[in-house]
Amino acid sequence: VQLQASGGGLVQAGGSLRLSCGASKRTLHNYTVGWFRQAPGKERDSIAHIVWPSGSTYVADSVKGRFTISRDNARKTVALQMNSLKPEDTALYFCAARGRLDSTYRYWGQGTLVTVSS
């Protein structure tokens, strides 16, 4: 499964961006999908994930109330809606996927850069 994250860019503090994670030649419908980010000089952090098949979601405390993860069934992608962005949200954002029997994320996409200016 080849994943592709898109939607990053430069935005002012308080603005919004919507990231999208898609897979080439297949749907992400039956995968648990997570979003991660890595700021310069820092470790990669888990931001959010949506579980298959339950549909339950998790959002890290650092972005709770501002970020939302959801499936776009029409586009067969997983979106990360990011509102009220802060400069500390600046990072390279990655998406990853794992099947029901996988204990860890098995498939990773390249990152998309989000830069929030103050």
Side-chain angles (χ1 to χ4, degrees), residues 46-70:
S46 174
I47 296 301
H49 64 249
I50 185 164
V51 181
W52 181 81
S54 67
S56 61
T57 61
Y58 157 85
V59 179
D61 287 343
S62 58
V63 302
K64 193 168 291 183
R66 301 188 296 122
F67 290 13
T68 304
I69 187 170
S70 63

Side-chain angles (χ1 to χ4, degrees), residues 4-84:
Q4 175 128 16
S6 60
L10 174 64
V11 64
Q12 288 188 333
S16 298
L17 283 174
R18 185 178 178 89
L19 305 184
S20 181
C21 179
S24 60
K25 301 180 181 179
R26 67 172 62 198
T27 177
L28 289 175
H29 173 71
N30 54 345
Y31 289 86
T32 291
V33 177
W35 282 98
F36 300 78
R37 69 183 182 187
Q38 187 167 20
K42 296 188 177 181
E43 294 185 353
R44 186 173 62 198
D45 291 328
S46 174
I47 296 301
H49 64 249
I50 185 164
V51 181
W52 181 81
S54 67
S56 61
T57 61
Y58 157 85
V59 179
D61 287 343
S62 58
V63 302
K64 193 168 291 183
R66 301 188 296 122
F67 290 13
T68 304
I69 187 170
S70 63
R71 293 190 189 274
D72 185 333
N73 291 325
R75 298 179 181 178
K76 301 178 182 179
T77 59
V78 173
L80 183 69
Q81 179 66 42
M82 306 187 297
N83 300 327
S84 302

